[in-house]
Amino acid sequence: MQIAEKTRLSPEWLLARVQKMIEDDAEIDPTENLVLYGLDSIAVMTLSSELKQIGIEASFEELAREPTLDKWWALISSRL
């Protein structure tokens, strides 16, 4: 397990990562569906893979079920 990488995870990290995935500088409402900002399934798969590499199991299905910053952070933080 990559403890050092896990400790860098934060809501701010997630927000920055999502903004890169959607390539938009718009302010993101943490409760808004990220698909409305242009998030696509490939980006969700990529995030799931990145999280797995640092020891956080968050499947594509789990992330795609409720694609909001708040729900994603709740999922990630529950597995830290």
Side-chain angles (χ1 to χ4, degrees):
M1 225 175 270
Q2 298 85 356
I3 302 293
E5 290 184 40
K6 279 187 174 183
T7 60
R8 290 190 309 209
L9 295 179
S10 68
E12 295 77 20
W13 170 87
L14 182 59
L15 173 60
R17 187 65 195 96
V18 167
Q19 285 180 316
K20 285 182 184 174
M21 290 189 306
I22 62 173
E23 298 178 1
D24 190 350
D25 291 336
E27 188 171 331
I28 297 174
D29 177 341
T31 63
E32 191 74 63
N33 187 319
L34 294 169
V35 172
L36 300 174
Y37 294 95
L39 183 78
D40 62 25
S41 59
I42 293 171
V44 177
M45 285 184 254
T46 301
L47 179 62
S48 175
S49 177
E50 289 174 7
L51 290 168
K52 187 173 187 171
Q53 290 174 5
I54 57 176
I56 304 289
E57 291 294 328
S59 70
F60 169 80
E61 292 79 11
E62 289 174 309
L63 294 170
R65 189 175 305 125
E66 295 183 281
T68 72
L69 285 174
D70 282 353
K71 295 293 184 180
W72 282 4
W73 180 246
L75 177 67
I76 292 167
S77 64
S78 74
R79 297 183 181 177
L80 289 175

